[in-house]
Amino acid sequence: MPITVNEQEKTIHLETDHTSYMMAVSEYGHLGHLYYGKRIKHVNPAEHFRFFEVPSPRPDLKREKARMLAIFPFEYPTGGTGDFRTPALQVRNEKGMSACELLYRDARVEFGKPKLPGLPSSFGDEQSVETLTVELEDPVLHLKVMLLYSVFVKEDIITRSVRICNEGKEGLTIERALSASMDLENRNFEVLGLFGDWARERHPERVKLHHGKQVISSLRGVSSPQEAPFIALLGEGTSQERGEVTAMNFVYSGNFVAVAERSASESVRLGMGIHPEGFSWQLLPGAEFVTPEVVMTYSSEGLDEMTHHFHDFYRNHLIRSRYLQEERPVLINNWEGTYFDFDETKLYEIARGASACGIEMFVMDDGWFGNRNDDEHGLGDWMVNEEKLKGGIRQLADRIRGLGMKFGIWVEPEMVNPDSDLYREHPDWAIAIPGREPSLFRSQLVLDISRKEVRDEIMDRILKVLHEVEADYVKWDMNRYLSDLGSFALTQERQGELSHRYVLGVYEMQERLVKELPNLLFENCSSGGARFDPGMLYYSPQIWTSDDTDAIERLKIQEGTALVYPLSTMGAHVSKVPNEQVGRICPIATRANVALAGSFGYELDITKMTAEEKEEIPKQIRMYHRFRKLTMEGDYYRIASWSAERPFDVWMIVSKDRKEALVTYVQVLGRPQTGAERIRLRGLDPDTGYHMETVSGKMLPSTSSLRYGDDLMNDGMLFPALGDFESLVLYLRAERAGV
């Protein structure tokens, strides 16, 4: 059984194929965390509770309760009663006093996994998942807190969320409600996070865990490109192949916090949830608040194993789209090719040229609606601009479908320009503080989609267009952060709920979209990758990874993203050169080889490409389709990360049965007087012979066509010294069927 509750011993044991997670109730009624790590049978709660370290302990701890609380390894800690470490829950009563103490009441197990109302969350049937509910109570506040744990055995994943219920007669205010917390003993940890900014999202960075708090967070209203909603504690010496990893990822698309706190007593508290700054929630008698889901995993075999846990889990238990399994069309997007300067003739010419090269879908980006000839006008006016598109979008879509292509469209439902008919009609629909001039970004304000009438009006307008053109694809963009937080619809006491209600509004709108258009290929985007998180993946099978389309810049961006998210979720395009963001000129082969590690497409004006470049496109599309299943479903291994000392980048994808593998090698910078690089591969069957085929670029002529897995993983193989920005792709397949 994945979940064992021993009521006699007051212990709880969660088990996956390779991990154990253990809790116990102390003699004083507090729920303590005992262990999360490699699968074991039993631990001694007394050694973890450490009551023997409290001076002059007494049976009721009246004299030294605060000292006990300060060192106790809480499973879900609260504030205000003596534990001065970071709390998971803070609650204020009607008198303005903040204190909470949770005591154990009950635990129960059910097969399957309940949904979280209004929130994206993982799913599974009764055979794949069991769910534990641990009921805690503060008898003074009459507050019931239910900790939810769902155990996914095969993927070595445990998910957590919390239901908070006011069973009293007085109103309460939640000021902090994390979704997960646990106290560990320090083992010389490092903290790993994903950091960056617009156009350089999710670069991995690891630092020593020092005393005090190390915080990864966002207060921008989105999960953000600056700090992603992921945190991992790494054991001493952890690498891709070996060492311990304890990781959390947040199924949420708004403000978040992840905290690793090392205390003076050498305990480590790891927690994740909605960011408490600026957040409050009025919990009236009888009301309930549900926190978003945290996904946790433990690996004893390094970062690669952690990656495989996350990838398998998101593919099997979070992404709902039919396109998770189905072939996705290779698209061309006109944005970097035309920006706002287009008409129906220009778009058709791009589509016709793309169709001739084998591209399968045309996506019309920003500029098709209202008075939208630049980014200062018309956003929010979701009516077709027939001065640009004479005859309307349907006529253009029909002409493009006549070429044998699918048709997609860009929208940005959450935003409005002050210079728009929508804003002039409903200025109170924008988020703003009365009397204060709101800050603009890209000449945009944010619509208050915490309000149902705003959500419904916007979605009615957009869905009317999408139904009219029978859109095959939608790219949903969101191009600014939330600031000047004020809602004309919320009372003074509820203004602290705005950011969370906003995110709930986004989820409701996207749920409506995928329900009304179930066959749609849906891609999320937020200034590139500002909302690349599991919450978005619940609605769309892919997310635009970054607005930076340069192949070399994409190496770090895609490395950090693939550390947690499946390759199938990363929108990755071949763009024009010189690159729009950095001005770099990369060979078209390298641009395609890097984009091959994601959901493949093009972002350019194909009518301006040379004949030689156009000849490469059909080959690249054939390569994408040939290896799509392997890339989308295989296990990802990070082999080498480029740096000044090691200026090449290598990754590989291995099929689940280890009969196929794809290795990509990118030479970021060439170096004089250096020979071939010996690279050790990973993930292969040591006893299997593999035939090797170079599908892009040139390998060394001395490379044998048949090599065994043990040879390739232990001795390695030579990759040629290439020039700046050159690359190659190598395909390995088992010697014979059935091997």
Side-chain angles (χ1 to χ4, degrees):
M1 297 287 289
I3 303 173
T4 303
V5 179
N6 188 323
E7 286 291 356
Q8 184 175 356
E9 296 183 359
K10 297 295 184 185
T11 59
I12 301 171
H13 189 172
L14 314 181
E15 292 182 289
T16 69
D17 277 347
H18 302 101
T19 70
S20 289
Y21 190 102
M22 298 181 181
M23 298 169 273
V25 182
S26 79
E27 58 188 291
Y28 308 108
H30 301 100
L31 182 64
H33 179 82
L34 300 180
Y35 176 84
Y36 188 29
K38 201 167 184 178
R39 186 165 173 169
I40 58 175
K41 294 181 178 64
H42 185 264
V43 297
N44 183 355
E47 288 190 358
H48 289 269
F49 290 169
R50 295 176 179 264
F51 290 151
F52 53 84
E53 294 183 355
V54 179
S56 304
R58 296 181 179 181
D60 57 5
L61 280 185
K62 287 185 180 297
R63 182 176 184 275
E64 296 291 354
K65 180 178 177 180
R67 288 178 184 252
M68 184 276 284
L69 295 177
I71 65 169
F72 187 77
F74 282 101
E75 181 66 22
Y76 195 70
T78 57
T81 59
D83 180 2
F84 299 102
R85 295 164 292 177
T86 301
L89 179 67
Q90 284 183 299
V91 180
R92 190 174 296 278
N93 66 15
E94 285 187 343
K95 296 181 176 65
M97 301 171 186
S98 180
C100 182
E101 184 175 10
L102 297 176
L103 302 176
Y104 176 82
R105 288 291 173 264
D106 188 25
R108 54 190 179 271
V109 181
E110 62 183 301
F111 294 106
K113 184 174 185 299
K115 292 183 177 181
L116 301 182
L119 289 163
S121 62
S122 57
F123 51 82
D125 58 27
E126 294 185 353
Q127 286 72 46
S128 63
V129 58
E130 285 187 11
T131 297
L132 167 74
T133 301
V134 179
E135 186 174 313
L136 309 176
E137 181 187 22
D138 184 320
V140 176
L141 294 175
H142 302 289
L143 185 72
K144 183 169 70 173
V145 175
M146 290 174 285
L147 309 182
L148 306 180
Y149 302 77
S150 293
V151 181
F152 295 82
V153 175
K154 286 181 58 179
E155 291 84 7
D156 288 311
I157 291 287
I158 298 172
T159 66
R160 292 183 59 178
S161 57
V162 182
R163 303 175 82 108
I164 305 167
C165 309
N166 184 353
E167 296 187 327
K169 297 180 180 180
E170 295 185 357
L172 301 172
T173 301
I174 300 173
E175 297 182 325
R176 174 191 290 260
L178 300 189
S179 297
S181 180
M182 57 181 163
D183 288 347
L184 311 168
E185 294 180 352
N186 185 35
R187 295 197 296 275
N188 207 23
F189 288 122
E190 289 183 291
V191 179
L192 172 66
L194 302 174
F195 303 92
D197 204 339
W198 176 80
R200 49 182 176 86
E201 297 90 338
R202 290 174 300 285
H203 287 206
E205 184 177 322
R206 53 195 286 181
V207 296
K208 184 75 173 174
L209 177 59
H210 54 66
H211 286 98
K213 302 174 186 178
Q214 283 166 258
V215 178
I216 300 171
S217 67
S218 171
L219 284 169
R220 300 168 186 268
V222 296
S223 49
S224 95
Q226 287 80 11
E227 302 178 44
F230 162 81
I231 190 170
L233 294 180
L234 310 183
E236 202 166 4
T238 294
S239 66
Q240 292 293 142
E241 301 175 72
R242 58 185 60 87
E244 292 186 290
V245 183
T246 303
M248 291 181 173
N249 198 203
F250 201 22
V251 188
Y252 191 63
S253 308
N255 295 340
F256 76 92
V257 65
V259 183
E261 180 180 8
R262 179 179 169 186
S263 71
S265 62
E266 294 303 329
S267 68
V268 173
R269 178 164 291 175
L270 183 65
M272 176 175 274
I274 294 172
H275 203 303
E277 187 171 331
F279 167 83
S280 64
W281 195 271
Q282 297 296 300
L283 199 67
L284 299 177
E288 177 183 82
F289 180 79
V290 181
T291 71
E293 190 168 71
V294 164
V295 180
M296 305 189 313
T297 193
Y298 169 84
S299 163
S300 62
E301 298 183 10
L303 290 166
D304 278 344
E305 185 180 68
M306 178 207 74
T307 293
H308 300 160
H309 293 172
F310 279 128
H311 285 199
D312 288 345
F313 177 72
Y314 291 142
R315 288 187 292 228
N316 296 336
H317 298 289
L318 186 73
I319 300 171
R320 301 178 293 169
S321 170
R322 54 177 277 199
Y323 281 99
L324 176 65
Q325 303 295 339
E326 290 187 16
E327 193 96 352
R328 299 181 199 177
V330 175
L331 65 84
I332 186 167
N333 184 299
N334 71 289
W335 177 245
E336 288 193 10
T338 67
Y339 295 107
F340 295 102
D341 185 18
F342 63 81
D343 56 19
E344 78 281 358
T345 301
K346 178 61 177 176
L347 297 184
Y348 181 75
E349 288 303 310
I350 293 174
R352 186 170 66 172
S355 175
C357 292
I359 295 174
E360 299 154 328
M361 180 164 67
F362 177 82
V363 176
M364 179 176 63
D365 211 281
D366 194 358
W368 56 266
F369 53 89
N371 184 27
R372 190 69 170 167
N373 296 310
D374 53 40
D375 60 12
E376 296 187 3
H377 306 87
L379 191 57
D381 297 337
W382 297 107
M383 292 80 69
V384 178
N385 183 337
E386 296 201 16
E387 291 184 11
K388 275 188 175 183
L389 304 176
K390 294 181 172 55
I393 296 182
R394 182 59 195 244
Q395 180 173 304
L396 174 65
D398 287 345
R399 291 184 70 197
I400 289 175
R401 288 193 176 105
L403 299 169
M405 302 181 79
K406 295 179 181 295
F407 184 80
I409 192 168
W410 174 98
V411 296
E412 191 173 4
E414 301 165 60
M415 302 293 153
V416 65
N417 286 133
D419 189 353
S420 66
D421 292 340
L422 178 68
Y423 185 78
R424 283 185 282 271
E425 185 178 351
H426 297 288
D428 63 311
W429 281 13
I431 290 175
I433 298 173
R436 184 179 297 277
E437 185 72 21
S439 300
L440 294 178
F441 182 85
R442 206 170 180 253
S443 297
Q444 295 177 192
L445 295 172
V446 184
L447 288 171
D448 184 1
I449 58 173
S450 71
R451 301 170 63 172
K452 181 172 175 52
E453 67 271 26
V454 179
R455 297 194 298 271
D456 289 349
E457 176 68 19
I458 295 301
M459 289 306 292
D460 285 348
R461 293 186 185 188
I462 289 175
L463 283 165
K464 180 181 178 182
V465 175
L466 298 181
H467 282 301
E468 179 186 336
V469 302
E470 298 180 272
D472 300 296
Y473 162 103
V474 163
K475 180 178 181 180
W476 179 306
D477 210 344
M478 190 269 197
N479 276 308
R480 67 153 290 173
Y481 306 134
L482 273 61
S483 65
D484 306 281
L485 291 175
S487 171
F488 290 92
L490 293 175
T491 64
Q492 175 183 337
E493 295 78 17
R494 292 192 176 273
Q495 289 295 326
E497 301 177 6
L498 176 56
S499 293
H500 183 58
R501 289 186 180 275
Y502 180 92
V503 178
L504 295 178
V506 173
Y507 292 151
E508 182 188 298
M509 293 166 75
Q510 296 203 357
E511 184 69 20
R512 181 180 173 187
L513 176 70
V514 299
K515 286 288 177 62
E516 287 201 27
L517 298 167
N519 296 320
L520 189 75
L521 175 54
F522 179 29
E523 178 170 314
N524 261 294
C525 173
S526 179
S527 300
R531 258 192 336 209
F532 204 117
D533 59 67
M536 292 286 95
L537 290 180
Y538 184 74
Y539 303 98
S540 65
Q542 62 192 53
I543 301 171
W544 184 229
T545 315
S546 175
D547 280 342
D548 193 333
T549 55
D550 173 65
I552 301 305
E553 287 292 308
R554 273 294 184 112
L555 294 175
K556 288 290 186 189
I557 295 169
Q558 293 181 187
E559 174 185 351
T561 308
L563 184 71
V564 182
Y565 303 103
L567 302 187
S568 63
T569 66
M570 298 193 300
H573 293 175
V574 178
S575 65
K576 67 180 182 180
V577 291
N579 175 261
E580 191 70 19
Q581 290 77 42
V582 297
R584 186 178 283 119
I585 298 176
C586 284
I588 191 169
T590 294
R591 285 179 269 157
N593 292 343
V594 173
L596 188 67
S599 185
F600 189 76
Y602 292 83
E603 184 109 4
L604 40 73
D605 182 350
I606 202 167
T607 65
K608 297 178 180 178
M609 296 179 73
T610 66
E612 292 77 9
E613 287 176 322
K614 290 179 184 178
E615 288 175 3
E616 292 298 313
I617 292 177
K619 301 174 189 176
Q620 294 169 357
I621 294 173
R622 286 194 296 271
M623 184 168 66
Y624 165 73
H625 284 303
R626 179 183 177 188
F627 299 118
R628 184 205 67 86
K629 185 176 177 63
L630 173 60
T631 302
M632 300 298 107
E633 299 178 6
D635 287 334
Y636 169 87
Y637 292 86
R638 169 53 52 173
I639 306 300
S641 303
W642 77 270
S643 64
E645 296 75 28
R646 204 179 190 194
F648 55 87
D649 210 66
V650 188
W651 66 91
M652 62 186 295
I653 305 125
V654 183
S655 63
K656 291 292 186 181
D657 61 10
R658 299 194 288 178
K659 292 179 181 178
E660 295 180 283
L662 201 66
V663 184
T664 303
Y665 180 100
V666 180
Q667 186 81 49
V668 176
L669 292 175
R671 292 185 296 177
Q673 297 297 310
T674 57
E677 296 285 352
R678 183 169 294 278
I679 305 294
R680 293 180 179 181
L681 305 185
R682 290 206 296 279
L684 304 174
D685 183 343
D687 299 320
T688 293
Y690 293 91
H691 286 286
M692 292 189 287
E693 174 191 351
T694 305
V695 294
S696 178
K698 293 182 180 180
M699 273 299 288
L700 293 168
S702 60
T703 302
S704 170
S705 63
L706 179 65
R707 300 281 295 274
Y708 279 82
D710 58 353
D711 169 20
L712 293 169
M713 292 190 294
N714 292 289
D715 185 43
M717 63 182 299
L718 291 177
F719 283 76
L722 303 175
D724 292 357
F725 319 138
E726 292 185 343
S727 61
L728 62 86
V729 178
L730 187 66
Y731 174 56
L732 283 66
R733 60 178 175 82
E735 181 180 11
R736 61 183 182 278
V739 173

